[in-house]
Amino acid sequence: MSRSLFSFSVGPVQSFISKARKTQDLYAGSFILSYLCRTGMNKIVEYGSEIILPDPTNAYVPNRFLAIVNETDPKKLQLIGKSVENAVRKKFINMGETILQRLGLHNKPKGFTEQIERHLEIYWVFMPFDEKDYPDCYKNIGARLGSVKNTRCFEQLEEEPGRKCSIDGEHNALFFKGINRGKAFITNEAIELNNISDKYLEDGEALCAISFVKRCADKYFKSIGVDYNSDFESTSRIALADAITRLENTNPAYKDLSKCDFDSNIVYELKSKQIKSEDVKDRKAKEIYETLKEHGIEYSPYYAIMLFDGDNMGKWYCGDNLRDEVLLREFQTKLSKDLGRFAEEVREEVLVLPKGKPVYTGGEDFLGFINLNHLISVMKNLRERFTKIDLSAYSDKTLTFSAGVAIAHFKTPLSEVLKWARRMEQEAKNRDNNKDAFGIAVLKHAGEIEKAILPWKLEEGIWIADLIQVCLRFLNAGKFSSNFIINIDNEFSKMMVDGDLITEKINDPDGIFETELLRLLKRSCEIDSKDKSRTQEINRFWDTLRHLKTGSRELANFINVLKIIRFLEREVKYINDN
């Protein structure tokens, strides 16, 4: 019997998620897109359709799905597609109106509905097929959907001039707080909300309808009984999480400290002497700062954002890596279920506080915040578990992913940190045809940026993450001074072009760089010269560095790796391997 494949996507993805000032904005954007896509999935099922991708039982779904519809008549298919699209659009509009009602705002500002109606980018396409033609149809429908996206229609915006949204900088602000309307060019239609909680609107903020819905999303999801994290941890809370847990484990009086409500920013402001203790009104934050200091528990103001995307997932889903293409549908079902289980493991086992907090876990892609003390071990854990997804019944290959990591001070604008994480992910994917790499960037609070690209494993099977941990242990144990990194950088950074020595373009064949690095490493060794372990420890550290150099390929990249390790040595005082 002839049926039709139905491919559906809802967006925009990047702008809807990444345009965020708070972690809550980021989480809300991701959650809403997943919720709207599931709305479309539920609607298509009403027509007796079968969802192929993703697995409908997954807790989170991406912004797209694929279904088989028992219909081939073009007119009926058109009606079905429109019905699914309208269900998603109406759900988003209802979300906005429900939020206004729950906040007691019965007169919505002019332009509110229009901004919401115009925001979603929804694309869908049908393609009839016979069962034997399924693999070819699947490959073609993706290209057809791409063509539809490339011929998108644009509506003429009719908003009057006025102050734009504090988050997206694109639409007119319709809600504001603590701002002089006249001096700030806020339109007369905008609503002033000076009595609303800072959780939803802070002093000096002016939000459009889209940003306001994201910020207040918990009002909607609570009203319909959907499990939603209405208090997503701030970047400062992520950075402080491991120190809080260590304090809980050290002092029984602080057993449930991580559940307490306090301003983690104040802890850092007290530590950096930006505010005086007597001026602090948040007594819990003040107590935490003093107790951390009393117990000698060190903590960093830096945290990490990590995102990854499965390598060549398009080829996997198309069956290019399968031994038998006839089994494509069966394989897609298994892959989708396995990715769903992997995503659940990430949420329930890998990235739980104090290690960090996931924003989105779709299976083949991920976005999350990670505490710096756990960063390297979490990165390895994610990559290791991903490859353990067993597809051996269908293919001789294994899954891999490329990741981007951005380390930043908690006060660095979130949008900037996200931009760097995405940039590093892309650079990792561009490393070579095999991909399977990660890029890491450190955004120092002073403005300097260090970045490097590395493979997950060397050809010998050695994990780069393990090598980095070994380096950190040598440095944190006081066995070596990190000054050798400063010296090697000073000596060689000006002697390079395009990542290699000016004198020898390929891999330092005469050993100039390695000879000097070894000399500097020996000088930096703090172990007493009479200690018999000195030579052994130097050799161990040297072997670790040589492996890192091999994985780095270019000398400039290797030096950047060393500089990132030196940064981590200063900021990570407690290395966690679990």
Side-chain angles (χ1 to χ4, degrees), residues 4-8 44 65-69 81 84 124-126 141:
S4 296
L5 269 185
F6 176 55
S7 183
F8 181 94
I44 198 69
F65 68 85
L66 182 76
I68 292 180
V69 181
V84 176
W124 49 269
V125 64
F126 286 95
I141 200 169

Side-chain angles (χ1 to χ4, degrees), residues 262-319:
F262 67 93
D263 189 344
S264 48
N265 286 24
I266 291 176
V267 177
Y268 285 103
E269 289 173 355
L270 284 167
K271 182 183 180 184
S272 60
K273 296 181 172 55
Q274 291 178 283
I275 54 175
K276 295 181 179 179
S277 181
E278 56 267 26
D279 296 333
V280 175
K281 296 180 181 180
D282 189 331
R283 289 185 294 178
K284 178 58 70 174
K286 179 180 176 181
E287 181 186 359
I288 290 170
Y289 162 72
E290 292 173 346
T291 310
L292 287 170
K293 183 177 180 181
E294 176 187 339
H295 286 79
I297 297 176
E298 299 186 64
Y299 48 97
S300 169
Y302 286 85
Y303 71 98
I305 285 181
M306 176 179 174
L307 56 87
F308 72 67
D309 183 43
D311 294 327
N312 304 311
M313 293 308 296
K315 291 184 177 180
W316 275 105
Y317 279 116
C318 283

Side-chain angles (χ1 to χ4, degrees), residues 158-171:
E158 297 178 354
E159 289 186 335
E160 63 180 272
R163 174 161 175 166
K164 302 304 177 185
C165 175
S166 300
I167 294 179
D168 73 12
E170 186 176 328
H171 299 98

Side-chain angles (χ1 to χ4, degrees), residues 471-484:
C471 291
L472 290 176
R473 286 196 181 87
F474 273 122
L475 296 174
N476 282 338
K479 295 180 179 180
F480 292 85
S481 165
S482 61
N483 287 338
F484 78 90

Side-chain angles (χ1 to χ4, degrees), residues 424-435:
M424 298 317 297
E425 180 197 35
Q426 192 56 53
E427 290 191 20
K429 284 188 176 293
N430 293 338
R431 182 176 181 268
D432 58 34
N433 293 332
N434 294 325
K435 301 180 181 180

Side-chain angles (χ1 to χ4, degrees), residues 515-528:
T515 300
E516 180 62 4
L517 179 61
L518 179 58
R519 185 185 74 82
L520 293 173
L521 181 66
K522 290 178 178 178
R523 280 182 53 189
S524 73
C525 184
E526 305 283 358
I527 302 173
D528 191 286

